[in-house]
Amino acid sequence: MNYTLKNIPERTVKPRDKGFTMVMDKGLSVRQAEDLVETCGDYIDIIKLGWATSYATNNLQKKLDFYKSVGIPVYLGGTLFEAFIIRDQFDDYRRVLEKYDIQHAEVSDGSITLDHSKKCEYISTLAKEVTVLSEVGSKDAAEIIPPYQWIELMQKELDAGAWKVIGEAREGGNVGLFRSDGEVRSGLVQEILTKIPMEKVIWEAPQKSQQVYFIKLLGSNVNLGNIAPAEVIPLETLRLGLRGDTFDYFLNGDAKL
Amino acid sequence: MNYTLKNIPERTVKPRDKGFTMVMDKGLSVRQAEDLVETCGDYIDIIKLGWATSYATNNLQKKLDFYKSVGIPVYLGGTLFEAFIIRDQFDDYRRVLEKYDIQHAEVSDGSITLDHSKKCEYISTLAKEVTVLSEVGSKDAAEIIPPYQWIELMQKELDAGAWKVIGEAREGGNVGLFRSDGEVRSGLVQEILTKIPMEKVIWEAPQKSQQVYFIKLLGSNVNLGNIAPAEVIPLETLRLGLRGDTFDYFLNGDAKL
Amino acid sequence: MNYTLKNIPERTVKPRDKGFTMVMDKGLSVRQAEDLVETCGDYIDIIKLGWATSYATNNLQKKLDFYKSVGIPVYLGGTLFEAFIIRDQFDDYRRVLEKYDIQHAEVSDGSITLDHSKKCEYISTLAKEVTVLSEVGSKDAAEIIPPYQWIELMQKELDAGAWKVIGEAREGGNVGLFRSDGEVRSGLVQEILTKIPMEKVIWEAPQKSQQVYFIKLLGSNVNLGNIAPAEVIPLETLRLGLRGDTFDYFLNGDAKL
């Protein structure tokens, strides 16, 4: 840090198992990726190339080379996995991971209907080759999964070999964990946490109010995802109690660190 | 593309008459323009320097030189044309196009009152010198033009020499084709399409839900405009059925390609 | 300017006492800062490193060096000042300003409770060392300060040595001067202006509708703040009556220049 302030919440450091930040890159140039790392690379634990943007991005190999050179792992969005599965191209998907030397993979079923035992099979197959993140929660705003089922799905996916499970929110933060207006489904989150350890979950929380909610509930070192590149530093200040929204909370001494 | 997926909608290639994307640059630096072209230059058919931002941008000549060097045409926003017209400086406007070697021009009347035969005169005069895009629809949310009149205006402007007509939405996507909350005026759009061929229209659609609407209605190769630089790759994935919002649609086999 | 349009509102030039633009940098890279200055450096009068983002930004010294090299002053957000004060580290705060050779400072109490005479003391102490901007208005949406009290606070802070006073809006533009939906508290603004000269106030106005409101009320050369980097050129066109929202207003000849 650039100067010293007393009583700042302690943050975990890389490699983080909790308190980590997953950033969504939906088409950065190499230079923009460099800029991001220059300003806040220490706070970026993993980068997701959002949904299938990697398919349509001209500079993919160069950008992956750059992220590798600075030690930040990258994975491809779950919608891309689903695009391969629905086309019966699972092996082609694995070859893409191999071709680009990608060490993490997301398994999701937000846009397709996938038998859950089949989903868990994909998780275990991939878990032998890469680190798997699996995602729970539909991208379809109309499909509401009850809490006990979220928990059951998450537990089975962890058992199948997922490193962490992701609570779905989409780029906009208006499905899955959230109501269509972006409000957190708070009862759902709290019920999940009675059964699944917080370090095993990454909460997609693209909107500031959502980040504030999770930090107030679970402390500075909650795992958050779908953070826009320009919001990584602002999020870090929220985690540290150095922005209006979380300022009081940490000073009151009831922060969960 | 970076890898192969089966059954991807076929996209037109440059120079595109349909399926093209007009991007709004409201003040990019030369480096940011280079970054944009690096990641997704193939999908950018034309760049609009939004409204009169070209007047107040310090690096105008250099940026135009860059866009020319990569073969992407540029035009100046319609509000700038109107700013010259209302000041009785039409000839000065033509000299600006000549000075900067700009080969496209927009003729619009979103902010001024212009007799329609006079507007068509400007279109024909300019059409002798450059390629003209003409815009229909007021920037004033209170002024609602009925569908039959949109059609009549569009047809006359095409007859006067416009290459394509633009359906107005402003940067925010909340006037003209859209209600103030951004919802598409769907009856209007469908009625326009009974008379005007879809390849002659560019629909301004800055919001994702608006892009999804037009892609579902008219297929991957609909002409869309006022796309923000960071949204060009996301839009391309929507066109390809590789984002949650259009994923089902293309798989169902009823995509209009 | 790149070409000549008649009857353009006259703008003040640097160093501006009125008509100035305060831009919020919440974590730009050095290259992004260079890009900003390339496209619109003439319109940027001062840069605020938003709230406490300077604490968590890796490239702070280099970026400050760059801004200094192009003659644009920088200050640190008021929330950072408050973070030092609440920890009883005022002298440490002054050492930070000295260490980084920062010549402006913001004194605010948006997130802490601070006796007003104590706040004025901080203003006078700092005013002996740097140029002080002081901010009035809580970041807490629930706390409504009546107009007469805004005026009293502003006047006392100017008397204590503040160069200018800032009307609070936060990055989102939804507290202080604004209702939670972003609408201007118009009666408040107009009452303030009966007592405080407009050149002594900087209005935080991150949203376009807010910028339009102040330009229509006070003319091109109103002092505006919390402008996002990508909105500096768009704001300049609003000031010049060259965007739809202010186009009519200036042509009608009733612009306040």
Side-chain angles (χ1 to χ4, degrees), chain C residues 31 76 89 154:
Chain C
R31 227 156 29 192
L76 310 176
Q89 290 186 260
M154 285 178 157

Side-chain angles (χ1 to χ4, degrees), chain A residues 76 93-102 105 126 130:
Chain A
L76 310 176
Y93 178 68
R94 293 160 70 192
R95 277 190 282 272
V96 169
L97 300 186
E98 198 180 22
K99 172 181 170 192
Y100 289 108
D101 192 20
I102 290 175
L126 284 169
V130 295

Side-chain angles (χ1 to χ4, degrees), chain B residues 26-31 51-52 54-60 80 84 86-87 89 99-100 111-112 171, chain C residues 1-8 31 34-35 38-39 43 231 233-234 237 240 242-244 247-248 251:
Chain B
K26 60 180 192 177
L28 296 182
S29 70
V30 173
R31 228 158 26 194
W51 65 102
S54 59
Y55 181 75
T57 302
N58 289 347
N59 62 353
L60 185 60
L80 183 69
F84 275 97
I86 200 81
R87 288 166 173 84
Q89 289 187 261
K99 171 181 171 192
Y100 288 106
S111 297
I112 62 177
E171 189 205 0
Chain C
M1 296 299 161
N2 294 309
Y3 37 83
T4 304
L5 278 161
K6 296 174 190 166
N7 299 319
I8 293 291
R31 227 156 29 192
E34 290 169 356
D35 286 351
E38 167 195 319
T39 55
Y43 315 136
E231 299 304 322
I233 289 176
T237 62
L240 296 172
L242 290 175
R243 188 171 190 181
F247 195 94
D248 270 358
L251 286 179

Side-chain angles (χ1 to χ4, degrees), chain B residues 64-118:
Chain B
L64 290 172
D65 290 347
F66 167 70
Y67 284 134
K68 182 170 295 179
S69 76
V70 293
I72 299 181
V74 172
Y75 70 100
L76 309 177
T79 303
L80 183 69
F81 165 83
E82 299 177 46
F84 275 97
I85 295 304
I86 200 81
R87 288 166 173 84
D88 202 17
Q89 289 187 261
F90 179 52
D91 287 342
D92 290 337
Y93 178 68
R94 294 161 71 192
R95 277 190 282 270
V96 170
L97 300 186
E98 198 179 23
K99 171 181 171 192
Y100 288 106
D101 191 21
I102 290 175
Q103 299 298 327
H104 292 72
E106 180 179 332
V107 172
S108 64
D109 56 349
S111 297
I112 62 177
T113 302
L114 190 58
D115 182 80
H116 197 249
S117 61
K118 187 70 190 160

Side-chain angles (χ1 to χ4, degrees), chain C residues 162-208:
Chain C
W163 173 52
K164 291 184 192 292
V165 288
I166 300 170
E168 163 77 80
R170 210 151 59 173
E171 190 204 0
N174 54 1
V175 297
L177 296 171
F178 304 99
R179 298 195 176 85
S180 60
D181 63 355
E183 200 200 336
V184 181
R185 292 177 61 200
S186 188
L188 168 63
V189 168
Q190 306 215 26
E191 201 161 327
I192 289 173
L193 288 163
T194 62
K195 302 288 182 180
I196 310 286
M198 72 167 265
E199 63 270 24
K200 299 308 282 180
V201 187
I202 301 170
W203 310 94
E204 292 188 350
Q207 300 179 17
K208 185 180 75 165

Side-chain angles (χ1 to χ4, degrees), chain A residues 11 24 39 61 153 190 201:
Chain A
R11 285 278 285 130
M24 185 193 276
T39 55
Q61 182 67 65
L153 297 171
Q190 306 216 25
V201 188

